[in-house]
């Protein structure tokens, strides 16, 4: 299968990089918009794009050098290597988020933040509805946590609810709601996988 992949074109690499960059940027923007005082750090977005390009390049290089096929005989070792590689990639994205200084950070006024959250949620909903039936199932699983984060971002900018959400009770409630959204994500994904197997 790896032999039949052929050499990846720059177009394929850039397309996959764009998808990874788009996903990481979407969640970075949504995370920034969920917390009103955080702001959008454009330097983080640029570094995420650079890291996405490097990761995709390494993945294609590894596939075409057939490194992974040498370890496939030992399932435990291949799983461990794959798990470590994924953790390293996720860790690098997290480090970029944590260590990048706020040099290019844009702080939004509450009405602008609410407008941006609404545009993101509407855009995501339209994108999910435009997918074919099989792809739509994958998108539906991500919608609950994203909608919950978006709703928290909007409520944290409204005069009636911003003080309560900034309190300890409000933060605990927000964390529980996000956790519930992640559980819904897992349940929907599990149900979809079971349905495909059957």
């Amino acid at each position: 299968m790896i032999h039949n992949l052929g050499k990846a074109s720059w177009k394929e690499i850039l397309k996959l990089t764009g998808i990874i960059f788009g996903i990481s940027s979407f969640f970075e923007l949504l995370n920034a918009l969920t917390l009103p005082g955080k702001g959008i750090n454009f330097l983080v977005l640029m570094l995420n794009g650079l890291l996405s390009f490097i990761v995709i390049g390494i993945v294609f290089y590894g596939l075409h050098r057939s490194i992974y096929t040498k370890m496939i005989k030992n399932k435990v070792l291949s799983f461990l290597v794959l798990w470590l590689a994924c953790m390293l990639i996720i860790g690098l994205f997290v480090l970029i988020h944590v260590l990048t200084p706020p040099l290019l950070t844009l702080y939004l006024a509450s009405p602008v933040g609410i407008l941006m959250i609404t545009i993101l949620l509407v855009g995501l909903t339209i994108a999910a509805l435009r997918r074919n039936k099989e792809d739509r199932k994958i998108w539906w699983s991500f919608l609950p946590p994203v909608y919950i984060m978006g709703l928290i971002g909007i409520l944290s900018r409204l005069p009636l609810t911003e003080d309560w959400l900034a309190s300890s009770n409000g933060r605990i409630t927000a964390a529980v709601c996000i956790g519930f959204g992640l559980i819904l994500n897992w349940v929907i994904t599990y149900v979809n996988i079971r349905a495909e197997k059957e």
Side-chain angles (χ1 to χ4, degrees):
M1 184 177 75
I2 291 170
H3 178 73
N4 290 330
L5 280 173
K7 189 174 180 181
S9 66
W10 280 105
K11 186 179 179 180
E12 291 173 321
I13 293 173
L14 289 174
K15 182 179 178 181
L16 197 51
T17 302
I19 292 170
I20 301 294
F21 175 64
I23 292 169
S24 66
S25 297
F26 175 82
F27 282 102
E28 173 62 27
L29 281 172
L30 190 61
N31 185 38
L33 291 169
T34 303
L35 305 169
K38 186 178 178 184
I40 301 169
N41 192 336
F42 288 98
L43 186 56
V44 169
L45 296 179
M46 288 186 281
L47 290 174
N48 280 348
L50 179 62
L51 180 59
S52 300
F53 182 77
I54 292 169
V55 167
I56 297 303
I58 291 171
V59 167
F60 273 102
Y61 177 80
L63 282 173
H64 292 287
R65 294 290 294 178
S66 301
I67 293 171
Y68 188 69
T69 55
K70 295 177 183 177
M71 296 181 294
I72 202 74
K73 294 175 184 176
N74 187 336
K75 290 185 179 180
V76 175
L77 181 61
S78 64
F79 173 79
L80 183 62
V81 170
L82 186 61
W83 183 82
L84 287 172
C86 289
M87 290 302 104
L88 177 63
I89 292 167
I90 292 170
L92 288 173
F93 277 108
V94 171
L95 282 176
I96 285 174
H97 179 76
V98 171
L99 299 179
T100 303
L103 299 176
L104 299 174
T105 302
L106 176 66
Y107 296 95
L108 302 174
S110 292
V112 178
I114 292 171
L115 178 63
M116 284 194 67
I117 292 170
T118 305
I119 290 170
L120 282 174
L121 295 181
V122 170
L124 181 66
T125 305
I126 292 170
L129 291 172
R130 292 182 66 183
R131 300 291 163 188
N132 61 46
K133 189 176 180 180
E134 291 302 315
D135 289 344
R136 200 178 298 163
K137 291 178 182 178
I138 299 170
W139 282 68
W140 287 140
S141 65
F142 287 100
L143 292 181
V146 169
Y147 283 153
I148 289 170
M149 289 177 68
L151 181 61
I152 291 169
I154 290 171
L155 292 175
S156 64
R157 287 172 166 78
L158 293 175
L160 291 174
T161 51
E162 62 179 345
D163 291 335
W164 180 77
L165 273 173
S167 68
S168 59
N169 288 338
R171 290 176 183 175
I172 291 170
T173 303
V176 169
C177 289
I178 292 171
F180 178 70
L182 293 173
I183 291 170
L184 282 177
N185 168 259
W186 180 83
V187 169
I188 295 170
T189 302
Y190 177 76
V191 169
N192 287 338
I193 291 171
R194 283 291 299 272
E196 285 181 10
K197 285 183 178 179
E198 291 174 0

